[in-house]
Amino acid sequence: MSLGGLLGEETGAAPQQVRTEPIQQRSAARLSGLLDAAAAVVDEVGFDRITTAMVAERAGASIGTVYRYYPDRVAVLHALHERAVVRFRQRVVDELSASTLTSWWDAVDCVVTAFVGLYRTEPGFRIVNFDDRDGAPVADVVADADFFARRLADVLVNEFDLPAGDDLIFRLGVAVEMADALLARAFHTDPIGDERFIAECRLVMRDYLDRFYSPQALNLLATAS
């Protein structure tokens, strides 16, 4: 999952990867440092090759310190993924707040802008593509994507009067899946992102959703009902 799980405080599943809950400020700072180190390693070698030893070395910590918080490399990756999702949510909120939204597409485009911006500036952000291949249950991945589609649908219904219902949620889910694949490809080898894929992502999403929610399509729907 990469665009799923946004625009909300929680996805319904409590984080389970941290072995010891850090309480003191020093522990919290150490935990953040471990995740910063993991992000740097992900950028260097990818999440498929990262090890807890690499994280410990980059953080200047002992391997025992890593294991105090994370039982294995998969737990580190899950925690880094969760942090990326939280920061993604906040970036989407910031983009929506800073933008002049005149149509539902402006709101959808803010999500793309947030994703592209974090890919370019957030170390290790490619971790958003970490999924069930390394242990995340498929049901959780699907639930995250569905959660995002529902929250985005709420925004579009409340702010732009799009017709509410399962059809809107489903179509936003389809658009998110298409965007996910195209943007992952855009940043696969280029840290700045291939502008051709980014532009095509916006075009594909807009063309697909316009089939159902352009003014003409909405007028036809209203006439038919």
Side-chain angles (χ1 to χ4, degrees), residues 62-210:
S62 68
I63 192 69
T65 298
V66 177
Y67 285 135
R68 177 184 175 191
Y69 299 109
Y70 303 107
D72 52 38
R73 60 177 291 279
V74 174
V76 174
L77 291 171
H78 276 297
L80 186 60
H81 179 274
E82 288 179 359
R83 187 175 76 167
V85 168
V86 169
R87 292 181 177 181
F88 196 175
R89 291 175 185 167
Q90 187 57 53
R91 178 65 72 92
V92 171
V93 171
D94 292 344
E95 289 289 342
L96 289 170
S97 300
S99 302
T100 301
L101 306 179
T102 60
S103 70
W104 60 262
W105 170 249
D106 292 335
V108 174
D109 192 54
C110 281
V111 177
V112 178
T113 299
F115 188 90
V116 170
L118 280 175
Y119 238 130
R120 289 173 172 168
T121 61
E122 178 75 11
F125 191 68
R126 69 179 67 185
I127 194 65
V128 294
N129 293 312
F130 174 70
D131 55 24
D132 56 291
R133 291 176 300 167
D134 286 290
V138 174
D140 288 352
V141 176
V142 173
D144 283 346
D146 183 65
F147 176 83
F148 167 70
R150 289 179 181 278
R151 294 304 297 267
L152 183 57
D154 287 343
V155 173
L156 302 187
V157 169
N158 293 329
E159 298 297 326
F160 303 104
D161 295 323
L162 290 194
D166 291 340
D167 285 345
L168 175 60
I169 294 168
F170 172 77
R171 289 162 183 162
L172 287 174
V174 171
V176 165
E177 292 293 341
M178 293 189 293
D180 188 19
L182 288 168
L183 292 177
R185 176 61 180 83
F187 289 91
H188 181 64
T189 57
D190 185 349
I192 301 301
D194 187 324
E195 289 292 351
R196 297 171 302 171
F197 278 98
I198 295 171
E200 287 299 306
C201 171
R202 287 187 159 100
L203 180 63
V204 168
M205 291 182 73
R206 181 88 187 247
D207 283 352
Y208 171 70
L209 291 172
D210 265 347

